[in-house]
Amino acid sequence: MNSKWKKFNRKLSLMLSTSLVVSMLSLNLSVSAEVATSNNSFTDIDHSYAKTEITKLVEQGILTGFSDGTFKPSDSVTRAQLAKIMVGALHLNPDTAEASQFKDVKEDQWYAGYVGALVKSGIAQGTSKDSFSPNKNVTREELAVFFVRAFGWTQQDVPNPSSKPQLFDLDQASNWAKDSVSLAYQSGFIKGLVQKDGTVKFNPSGIADRQALARLAYEFVMNKSTYDSYMTPAKTGDETEDSNEAKPETTKPSEGSSKGSSGSSSGDKGNGSNNGGNNGGGEQAPSKNLTAPGEYTLGDVTGNVTISSQGVTLKNTKVNGNLKILESVGNGDVTLDNVNVTGTTDIQGGGPNSIHAVNSVLATVIVDKADGSIRLVLEGGSDVQQIKIKSGAIVQNASTGEVGPIDIAESVPHNASVVLSGSFDSVMVHAEQVSVEFGDDSTIGNLEVFEQALNTVFKINHGAVVNRAILNAVVQFSGGGALTSALVNVEGIDFSQLNQPPTIEADPTVTSVVYSPEAAEFSAIDSTRQIVLTGDTGSAFKDITSFATWEVDDSSIAVVNSGKIQAKGNGTTVVKAEYGDFKIHVPVTIAVYNEGAAYPTLTGIQVTNGSAKLVFTEGFEISELTADDFVVHAYLNGAEQQLNNLQYENGEFTFDAVNSYGSTLYITVESDVNKTHFAGSQSGAIKLTGFGGHIKDVAGEAVANLQIAFRKGLDNKTGEVVGTVTTDTYGNYRMYLPPGIYTGELGGGDTKYIKTYLIGVSAVNVENSNENQTAIEIPTQDETRIVMTWGKDPADLDSHLVGPAGDNGVFHTFFADKQYYNNDELMVDLDLDDVTSYGPETTTIRHLLPGTYTFYVHHFSGVSTIKSSGAKIEVFHGAVAAPSASFTVEEGSGNERYWVVFKMIVSDNGSVTFESVNTFTDINPYSSLQSPIENSEEEL
């Protein structure tokens, strides 16, 4: 589960916040006692107000407990532990020297390096000039400060501070924390404690505990945009220039000014020596947050700057830290004019009309907008050291400056589109199954495609030129532009849709070549024989058969394709191959045996890793054939290969599977020298790549003898089946297929399972052995089963079902409360909660009650959006193999966290009707679906 969380790929503009929030929970809060545990049912959380949040975060691997099976929801955390957590999450290097300024942080203490690194980064300061207070517990007001700082809010952000009463005990908060406590409460992020007289208290000096962190962490990570939308609401026509709304800064604020500083109070003047300093134990935030449209000039800024509003122009500013353009910019524009950013420029907001960088110097730019609808334009003399693209995007380089490498990251969602226009020296592609387009008249110096980039499609538009490509994954090229040359390291790359194929370069590490056989003889027309060409790199052999250029002197005698010769007529000729500076000549002789007689021949062969099935002239009786009637040759990695346990029976050779992942196994079968029963020869090959996995049912039991049919391509559910396999007694399967992405179909037909699909990835360099799936049984006559499937991204979509309960209330099944019972009878069950992409995720209603059932989907974690997920919900009502209702998300822009899919109305007589809802929201739909109930008192 921890590795799943690492793949969550939160944007860098959330790095501080998510690190502060999530890492508090995922790393050891009690350094000596807490351990990672797979137990997600703790013995001491039943009475915790954050039980639901704790359960989900543990399930995701975000939060850990203790070895005794407890979570200790009331335990506290110290500032030293917090420093360690943040440094680890931000990937900072410990720096003991930087901590020497604090008298209470000794060099030999375990936390010294973490404290120093955090201070050096500008994220935190001490509680005084020479104290850090490493053993001080984090208070409730400090926790509010940390979260508000993570949001990037300032007091100016509150749209209407009087919209609800203030906390009754706000005056008891420290001056440095008062603004943050007020902001967090006004936004609804913290709730406080309701007193008998109706007032709400916060207890700011109280110690924050682990259950408080769990609740706030869940809210921050899952519902951040909800709170942000409150703080920065859309403007209305009632607003005027004379309103009291905060105006943009046009000059650099004076030293000690608190304007725009999210952790400061208007009553604190500060000492001007450390970004305002702090009084009474609090910390001054070093960041600037530009929250309203306008033109800003900040001068020389130490720390981070965030832009949370569209229509912002930042000019003549040097940011000695990170610049973050937040999601709240939406589809608006932001311009950076003469801006120098020494750290990371993280772009997660902005629209198809653009983020502009004019005459700016940016170290590292990260483009990561959830729905991919964003354009970055580099203009003037802008210099950019490197650009990392983590979502769909358009990057347009119109700059006369230098632009470093473009890295299209592995985290880019499937089917996303990346468009690059202009001149780029280097483009590196790790993303799988995406579209990369080079705009008209663009120039790409070096394109490097890594092994992970399977099935990515490159379109080179008219006038565009890619000078050189290094290709390590099976990809496809198209368009009216040109790919000049390519170093091809894998088989199966498609250049056929280009106007002209590239010049194929020889691998410069190949120092010599060998080939087998050195001469070929054929005894029947249309017989085939494979010439295997192998390069010696000094440290390994490389199969270069398909990469060489092949030709034949006389095509009336024989033809050749990738080294496979086919006989066409009696005579002799020469087959030639060229690979770089290496050339080979293979003499070929065709002498048809018993020409003109009705003599049987071997006409075909089908090779798998473990068998070679033979095809003979129609009507030929093969029952008399034995192994002695054949000659079998196999080649692997430049040498003839001994096939172990080679057996022949009834037209098929079998042998032990060859364990040489990534290689190509070539097999040639021909008649014996005397042509005792037949003539001819046939050659076949198989790339020893593929994948395997395990098939189970919802109870976790192995599903044996279930056939899986595979088609080439992602989510390809129709067309040619390229391979089938049947699970063994233990529910396991292994499939050998060329590199690529495949969709496997299981169930349906005469089976007792609903038709579902799995995705299998056959890679060049590694065998994927966990391409698993769950087989879903057809429901019984009395059951209704809701099945959700989706694509690779987001990784975790959650099923929520709300419906009528037996007590006139409602039930709510989801990941943290999977089953609903009525009078000890199981009524509804979230059978399967999938957290690793694709699904299926199933909810089964055992017995229907009259009323309305509402199903909605929550984007819990992972990149991309619900609208780009390809999510499909099928409802099986009764013992039927075909769905009674089906709902598929429509692709579009927007990154809402919830999709309300459908309502199922059950009448008093048991009839069922379905009603499509198809609405999207950032507010949890359960709040409007639940019956009015007493709200339990909960902290924060």
Side-chain angles (χ1 to χ4, degrees), residues 253-432:
S254 61
E255 290 294 332
S257 169
S258 63
K259 186 176 182 180
S261 183
S262 61
S264 66
S265 169
S266 58
D268 289 337
K269 295 182 180 179
N271 57 23
S273 62
N274 63 347
N275 296 312
N278 54 70
N279 297 308
E283 297 196 32
Q284 176 71 32
S287 66
K288 295 285 184 181
N289 184 7
L290 310 184
T291 62
E295 185 175 293
Y296 297 77
T297 298
L298 303 182
D300 201 335
V301 178
T302 298
N304 301 326
V305 173
T306 59
I307 298 175
S308 56
S309 170
Q310 59 183 280
V312 167
T313 296
L314 179 61
K315 297 185 67 175
N316 303 326
T317 297
K318 182 177 181 181
V319 180
N320 297 289
N322 300 326
L323 173 64
K324 306 175 184 179
I325 301 176
L326 301 182
E327 286 178 290
S328 53
V329 171
N331 287 328
D333 295 350
V334 169
T335 298
L336 308 177
D337 187 352
N338 193 30
V339 173
N340 185 341
V341 182
T342 63
T344 297
T345 301
D346 187 8
I347 304 172
Q348 49 175 275
N353 203 17
S354 325
I355 305 297
H356 291 263
V358 184
N359 295 318
S360 294
V361 179
L362 309 176
T364 298
V365 174
I366 294 181
V367 182
D368 190 1
K369 187 181 180 189
D371 65 4
S373 59
I374 187 169
R375 181 169 69 126
L376 169 64
V377 181
L378 307 176
E379 300 176 85
S382 292
D383 290 338
V384 181
Q385 183 176 339
Q386 60 178 335
I387 300 176
K388 188 166 188 176
I389 299 174
K390 301 176 72 175
S391 69
I394 299 172
V395 178
Q396 181 177 335
N397 180 21
S399 171
T400 58
E402 295 185 3
V403 178
I406 306 288
D407 188 345
I408 303 176
E410 190 174 1
S411 60
V412 175
H414 276 175
N415 300 321
S417 174
V418 176
V419 180
L420 303 178
S421 294
S423 177
F424 300 94
D425 287 339
S426 175
V427 177
M428 299 176 290
V429 182
H430 297 84
E432 174 186 87

Side-chain angles (χ1 to χ4, degrees), residues 470-593:
I470 303 173
L471 305 175
N472 296 294
V474 179
V475 295
Q476 178 181 315
F477 287 85
S478 66
L483 172 58
T484 305
S485 68
L487 174 59
V488 180
N489 294 320
V490 294
E491 299 175 36
I493 293 176
D494 184 2
F495 299 113
S496 63
Q497 297 182 57
L498 288 174
N499 288 339
Q500 183 174 340
T503 299
I504 304 300
E505 301 177 19
D507 185 344
T509 65
V510 173
T511 57
S512 63
V513 299
V514 295
Y515 60 98
S516 295
E518 295 183 355
E521 296 183 0
F522 296 84
S523 58
I525 301 300
D526 290 330
S527 291
T528 62
R529 186 182 295 275
Q530 180 71 53
I531 306 299
V532 180
L533 181 61
T534 305
D536 185 355
T537 66
S539 59
F541 288 103
K542 176 180 180 179
D543 187 347
I544 57 175
T545 305
S546 63
F547 305 137
T549 301
W550 295 84
E551 62 178 17
V552 63
D553 282 350
D554 188 343
S555 59
S556 67
I557 297 175
V559 294
V560 64
N561 183 17
S562 293
K564 191 174 184 178
I565 307 170
Q566 185 177 25
K568 289 299 181 181
N570 280 319
T572 61
T573 188
V574 176
V575 169
K576 301 174 183 178
E578 184 173 340
Y579 182 79
D581 294 332
F582 302 102
K583 298 179 180 180
I584 66 170
H585 295 73
V586 180
V588 173
T589 301
I590 290 94
V592 176
Y593 184 76

Side-chain angles (χ1 to χ4, degrees), residues 829-850:
D829 182 17
L830 177 62
D831 313 81
L832 182 63
D833 177 25
D834 184 82
V835 298
T836 56
S837 303
Y838 301 112
E841 189 156 304
T842 64
T843 302
T844 301
I845 307 172
R846 311 291 179 180
H847 301 286
L848 289 173
L849 294 177

Side-chain angles (χ1 to χ4, degrees), residues 142 418 752 877:
E142 286 177 317
V418 176
K752 64 178 182 178
H877 177 55

